[in-house]
Amino acid sequence: MNEGLINKAPRKLLFLFEILSLSLIFLYSWEGIQTETYVIAVGLVLLIYFSNYLLGRISKGDNYIFLIVCMLVSIGIIMIYRISPDLGLKQLMWLTFGIAMFFAAYFAVRYISFWGRLTPIYLLASYALFALTLIMGSRTHGAINWITISGVSVQPAEITKIVLVFLLAAFYGGDEKYRKIKNGEVYLMIVVYSFIGLLFLQRDLGTALIFFGVFTGLQYIYSQDRRLIWANLGLATVGGIAGYLIFDHVRVRVTTWLNPWPHINDKGYQITQSLFAISEGGFFGTGLGRGNPSFIPLSYNDFIFSAISEEMGIFTGIGIIMLFMLLVYRGFKIALSQENQFFRIVALGISMIFGIQSFIIIGGVLKVIPLTGLTLPFVSYGGTSVVTSFIALGILQGASEKRGRGGIGNE
């Protein structure tokens, strides 16, 4: 059966959800409705529907991962517009560019066959991005992770996450000459921990946690020396203790995680307002436009999950968690069905990024783990995050198509 026909019913459900949600936005802002509202409504519906239709025509891979992400994007942009119409319009622009980059990444993976031979380039690119951040970066919320180019802020670490996956895939499933180097896995571990060390210098500990999680997961699956896994866990423990002792903002986050209530008016304000918002929403939410997401600092970014849970309800929050679980599940399924070793590892690594990052940020706003300052992929406001997440998804889409058993590219 044609994949486009298979995806027709989910596309219709997605279309229905967008129409109903946007209708609530129209009702909320009926008295002072602006042109931006029409642009958001028409632009979002057309962009999502047309991109799904186009993907169903050109790809024979797993097109459901894009549908899952479109649902997450729709929830996110509707909530962002509700909080700030200007940010909602900007997010629609970033979303358009992100989807264009999704197709560009998909075609690059589909038609270029030498990705597994570029280990030195991945290594140099990673160090270059770190150097660029340390030299040109500005400090935001305690971390040096943003650089501004021609008025546009970019977060190089978002790109480096994808490069890391390709580096690990090239080592474990690409060119064999690197695996045959004596103590090659030790050298790889040194390289990865040098990345994590540079992230410590930037004080970007949330991204460092993602690097560690992806590396540990792939190392556990593909490493031949199990002692290195224990060494990795030991180093991570030492690094976590060192981060707590060295960085003031880490100690603050741990303190507010353990007991934020004595600090409700200062350093515990953000997490307590997050918990208040989620409890205020109940199961079905206060309704779009009837909550107070502005009470939470950065409600459109780090804490968008709390804002959504307040106005759309805990059931919607549970739905977001399930969508991420489905995305990671289908990513793992792609990896298991992929015969090519390189692309199998790429699919695993990207799925791990989505899973780890979503767990870290949702766990943080629910006070399950300390806050880290990451964005919720595809849902939170942010240009670099949206674009790089779609690039990663395009790579996963390309990896979902069957390839030969060879370890490099399509070979």
Side-chain angles (χ1 to χ4, degrees):
M1 185 178 291
N2 185 280
E3 188 71 22
L5 295 176
I6 294 175
N7 287 339
K8 187 176 292 186
R11 281 208 307 267
K12 288 181 178 179
L13 289 174
L14 182 59
F15 177 78
L16 179 62
F17 168 81
E18 289 171 349
I19 293 298
L20 291 173
S21 300
L22 290 167
S23 298
L24 290 175
I25 291 288
F26 275 105
L27 289 172
Y28 166 69
S29 57
W30 182 254
E31 295 181 357
I33 199 165
Q34 299 176 347
T35 306
E36 289 86 349
T37 308
Y38 294 108
V39 173
I40 287 288
V42 176
L44 178 63
V45 172
L46 291 179
L47 181 64
I48 296 298
Y49 197 86
F50 177 74
S51 56
N52 273 281
Y53 175 81
L54 178 62
L55 184 63
R57 292 291 181 179
I58 65 176
S59 176
K60 297 180 180 179
D62 187 342
N63 294 353
Y64 285 103
I65 58 174
F66 190 75
L67 274 168
I68 293 167
V69 165
C70 284
M71 188 65 182
L72 291 169
V73 164
S74 299
I75 296 171
I77 198 169
I78 288 167
M79 195 67 226
I80 291 167
Y81 179 81
R82 149 70 185 104
I83 296 170
S84 170
D86 290 339
L87 291 180
L89 192 59
K90 290 181 181 178
Q91 185 76 344
L92 181 62
M93 296 170 61
W94 283 118
L95 174 60
T96 304
F97 183 59
I99 290 178
M101 294 304 295
F102 164 84
F103 283 104
Y106 164 71
F107 284 119
V109 170
R110 181 175 178 177
Y111 292 112
I112 297 176
S113 61
F114 49 78
W115 294 108
R117 297 193 183 98
L118 303 179
T119 303
I121 294 178
Y122 300 142
L123 193 61
L124 292 174
S126 299
Y127 284 122
L129 289 168
F130 281 121
L132 192 65
T133 305
L134 291 171
I135 294 170
M136 301 176 58
S138 56
R139 189 178 298 279
T140 305
H141 304 297
I144 305 173
N145 51 9
W146 291 93
I147 61 174
T148 303
I149 302 173
S150 300
V152 179
S153 296
V154 180
Q155 194 172 5
E158 293 286 336
I159 304 170
T160 314
K161 287 188 297 189
I162 300 175
V163 179
L164 172 69
V165 170
F166 274 76
L167 175 65
L168 295 173
F171 180 85
Y172 286 119
D175 199 334
E176 291 186 2
K177 66 181 179 181
Y178 294 103
R179 293 199 303 278
K180 291 180 179 179
I181 296 175
K182 186 178 181 180
N183 298 321
E185 288 192 60
V186 176
Y187 295 135
L188 177 67
M189 193 168 174
I190 292 171
V191 167
V192 173
Y193 268 90
S194 71
F195 294 166
I196 294 174
L198 290 168
L199 288 168
F200 263 69
L201 289 178
Q202 297 173 203
R203 299 192 177 189
D204 189 359
L205 303 188
T207 305
L209 188 58
I210 294 176
F211 273 51
F212 168 75
V214 172
F215 174 61
T216 302
L218 294 178
Q219 183 190 46
Y220 179 79
I221 296 170
Y222 291 103
S223 177
Q224 300 297 319
D225 190 348
R226 312 312 284 178
R227 294 173 300 178
L228 291 178
I229 299 173
W230 290 108
N232 185 24
L233 295 175
L235 288 171
T237 303
V238 172
I241 295 172
Y244 178 83
L245 296 175
I246 295 171
F247 301 123
D248 293 337
H249 70 287
V250 174
R251 290 196 294 274
V252 168
R253 287 174 177 175
V254 172
T255 299
T256 55
W257 167 57
L258 293 173
N259 187 12
W261 307 109
H263 315 283
I264 192 171
N265 293 321
D266 44 69
K267 57 189 177 183
Y269 179 80
Q270 202 173 30
I271 184 62
T272 53
Q273 290 302 314
S274 169
L275 297 174
F276 286 145
I278 294 170
S279 63
E280 179 68 20
F283 286 112
F284 300 102
T286 59
L288 274 173
R290 300 180 62 86
N292 296 286
S294 58
F295 287 177
I296 313 171
L298 297 175
S299 58
Y300 56 86
N301 194 280
D302 297 8
F303 283 80
I304 194 167
F305 183 83
S306 305
I308 291 170
S309 297
E310 179 183 11
E311 295 203 344
M312 298 186 186
I314 293 174
F315 281 141
T316 304
I318 294 171
I320 290 173
I321 294 172
M322 293 182 68
L323 285 170
F324 276 111
M325 291 175 66
L326 283 171
L327 179 61
V328 174
Y329 160 74
R330 294 202 74 91
F332 286 167
K333 185 177 179 181
I334 289 169
L336 291 173
S337 62
Q338 177 57 256
E339 295 180 351
N340 184 281
Q341 178 84 330
F342 176 82
F343 286 106
R344 182 185 302 135
I345 298 172
V346 166
L348 280 172
I350 289 176
S351 302
M352 288 177 185
I353 288 177
F354 290 147
I356 294 169
Q357 186 164 339
S358 59
F359 169 77
I360 289 173
I361 187 61
I362 293 175
V365 301
L366 293 175
K367 211 176 83 65
V368 175
I369 59 175
L371 289 168
T372 56
L374 294 173
T375 57
L376 189 59
F378 304 108
V379 183
S380 296
Y381 173 79
T384 308
S385 174
V386 168
V387 174
T388 54
S389 294
F390 269 106
I391 290 173
L393 189 72
I395 294 168
L396 186 61
Q397 182 70 44
S400 70
E401 297 185 357
K402 296 294 185 181
R403 299 171 186 270
R405 291 182 174 275
I408 302 174
N410 291 330
E411 301 172 358

